[in-house]
Amino acid sequence: SIHSVIEGKFVVVVTAGWGANEVLVFRSEDVKKGDAKPVSKATLKHIWRGTALLTNESKRSVLAVSGASDGTIYRYEVSAEGTLTALPAWKIAAPKDEKETSFIGSIAVDGDTVFAVDETKRPQSAGQNRLLKIVGGEVVGELVLGTECSGFA
């Protein structure tokens, strides 16, 4: 599970792996009391361990969730009540000379820029991962990382 806290009011838990792949939103005060039921949830085919909170120019809270082998960053607007509303996902392409899709792992945010680790093991790159710089859903830069490197946001 990966946790993010939104404005001190909500805790977001992402379950990933072999079971259900869900994004769950809980009220922080309910979690503290030990009596938490999800306020909202979304179920996805693939999720990995990355979540990050984006705030755009309209001051909406947008949660970004790594989509693992879907090569996607899923995005959800989080309302003041904790309700998740799906926004268009960002499909992250593999390098042009490769046929595999990207495997998006950890993600982090700096202003309007999203950084994501593409954990795809590619023979052409000796199994090295890439750190991607993403603006508006487009990869605008990348850095080849060492083998078996994985960031944690």
Side-chain angles (χ1 to χ4, degrees):
S1 297
I2 299 173
H3 308 272
S4 295
V5 177
I6 300 174
E7 300 174 3
K9 296 193 292 187
F10 301 104
V11 176
V12 177
V13 178
V14 176
T15 62
W18 295 106
N21 288 265
E22 296 177 319
V23 180
L24 303 162
V25 179
F26 298 93
R27 282 184 182 41
S28 296
E29 65 182 51
D30 293 344
V31 172
K32 290 175 186 175
K33 293 177 189 173
D35 184 30
K37 293 182 177 57
V39 176
S40 184
K41 79 175 183 175
T43 303
L44 295 165
K45 184 177 177 185
H46 297 282
I47 301 176
W48 200 230
R49 56 181 164 219
T51 61
L53 187 63
L54 315 169
T55 303
N56 66 14
E57 62 279 353
S58 65
K59 303 297 182 200
R60 296 185 304 170
S61 293
V62 177
L63 181 71
V65 179
S66 61
S69 60
D70 282 346
T72 301
I73 295 176
Y74 296 102
R75 299 179 320 128
Y76 292 91
E77 182 171 356
V78 184
S79 74
E81 296 78 31
T83 303
L84 294 170
T85 302
L87 298 172
W90 292 345
K91 185 71 173 169
I92 307 301
K96 292 181 174 67
D97 60 339
E98 298 182 16
K99 295 179 181 163
E100 299 178 49
T101 61
S102 293
F103 185 106
I104 303 301
S106 299
I107 56 178
V109 174
D110 182 12
D112 291 335
T113 303
V114 175
F115 296 95
V117 177
D118 178 358
E119 299 183 18
T120 304
K121 307 299 184 258
R122 297 183 167 86
Q124 308 86 308
S125 59
Q128 294 179 331
N129 298 320
R130 302 179 302 152
L131 175 62
L132 307 175
K133 179 180 178 182
I134 304 164
V135 177
E138 298 294 323
V139 176
V140 297
E142 70 176 72
L143 174 67
V144 176
L145 304 171
T147 58
E148 298 301 319
C149 179
S150 178
F152 292 93

